[in-house]
Amino acid sequence: LIPFILLMSPAGYCSDKYPKDLMMRITALAAVVLTLLITLFYYLGWFWPAFAMTLLLAVQSAVFSPAKYGFIRELVGDENLARANGLVQATTTISILAGIFLFSILFEHLLVGVNYSGRSELLSAIAPIGWCLVVISLLEFAIAFALPRMQDIDAAMRFDWRQYVGGQYLRFNLAAVREQKIILNSIAGLAVFWAISQVMLAAFPAYAKETLGVTNTVVIQGMLACAGFGIVAGSIIAGWLSRQGVDMRLIPAGACGISICLLVLPGLPDVVSNSVNFVVWGMMGGCLIIPLNTLIQHYAESGELGRVIAASNLIQNCVMLGFLIMTATFAVMGLSSLWLITILQGVALTGTAVIFIGYRWHARRSS
């Protein structure tokens, strides 16, 4: 999360000044180099150098993100933004789920019968996994070169590092977000959704152990994966319903559905009912995030799209970091995960109320 927070201004600047396909190619090449180094350090058993390269992969993602989302608008235009975002979100979620299961299986397979006493021996045992990372990064690099050129270099744009260090760029980028109320509200909605999702990902295993008596990590991962499949379905549905433009009704409907799923969660007695609840949760989440992402891309000025997306990343990751600190605090204090879920219920209900108020305001303004 930290690179997304610290690199908001440089990432947004690069996305607006340079062709976005070029930025994606450069960052994809960086990913190849970094995954090769990670693999090398795994074989050598060097934990901290491998950790540092993994942190640099997060830097690569922070620079890649504004270029990727800005490129979607350039490629498909405003009229097809929602459908494109639906496909991107569905594909991304499928990739994340596939990565979680693939690397979990490989991790368990490589550690069968292996005795290790420290980080170095553990890294050496799982080192072959690094080659999977390299292959995936090479695939990313190859695909990046298939992208068309949609933008030229903006020679007039300059980046002043003194203004960046002094915080002037931060204030300038956040001002670009504050000027458009609909953009700010969309970012806030996304931030709350992903923060709640992150806390659920961290807290649900403990909750499942406390209340359901489930300790099998595969079963717990399977229940959480149901939310991912739901997001895929919800994203596709939201994209289809918004094929003629953003369907604003999806936003309050998605927020309301997420709140209901959180409210009924403590009363669900078994694995099956929790799995179904997570599927519905994910579908409602997909119906929420697709129109919100589309509104941000649609209402941002073309020359400021990179900075707006970078500012969105900053706000979302700051909120996620705050929720993550809260989750860690609960764990350190030994508090029940049920209390954490109760707090999330209050946050979701408050967010839903705010979204309904904003939706009514937007409907009156449109009419």
Side-chain angles (χ1 to χ4, degrees), residues 43-59:
Y43 276 105
L44 295 174
W46 293 358
F47 175 80
W48 287 111
F51 180 87
M53 294 303 103
T54 306
L55 181 61
L56 287 179
L57 265 184
V59 172

Side-chain angles (χ1 to χ4, degrees), residues 104-175:
S104 294
I105 292 170
L106 290 174
F107 188 85
E108 296 291 340
H109 174 73
L110 290 172
L111 289 181
V112 172
V114 175
N115 295 316
Y116 57 90
S117 57
R119 296 170 179 162
S120 179
E121 294 178 8
L122 173 60
L123 284 184
S124 298
I126 64 169
I129 289 179
W131 292 113
C132 295
L133 293 175
V134 173
V135 170
I136 294 171
S137 63
L138 285 170
L139 179 61
E140 177 188 12
F141 183 59
I143 294 173
F145 266 86
L147 298 173
R149 175 62 53 87
M150 306 295 295
Q151 160 194 351
D152 295 323
I153 295 176
D154 187 345
M157 289 189 68
R158 295 288 185 271
F159 191 83
D160 190 326
W161 284 100
R162 287 178 296 182
Q163 291 187 29
Y164 168 61
V165 174
Q168 287 93 329
Y169 278 130
L170 173 63
R171 292 190 291 271
F172 174 71
N173 291 343
L174 291 177

Side-chain angles (χ1 to χ4, degrees), residues 188-189 192 196 255-256 259 344-357:
V192 172
I196 291 175
C256 186
S259 296
L344 295 184
Q345 290 172 342
V347 172
L349 287 172
T350 303
T352 300
V354 171
I355 285 175
F356 265 99
I357 293 171

Side-chain angles (χ1 to χ4, degrees), residues 86 89 190 193 230-239 241-242 246-255 257-258 280-293:
Q89 187 63 58
L190 288 170
F193 171 76
I231 290 178
V232 172
S235 299
I236 295 173
I237 291 171
L241 291 175
S242 298
V246 179
D247 190 338
M248 297 294 292
R249 295 171 297 180
L250 290 170
I251 299 174
I258 291 168
V280 178
W281 159 292
M283 291 180 65
M284 295 298 101
C287 289
L288 176 70
I289 60 180
I290 296 307
L292 291 180
N293 272 321

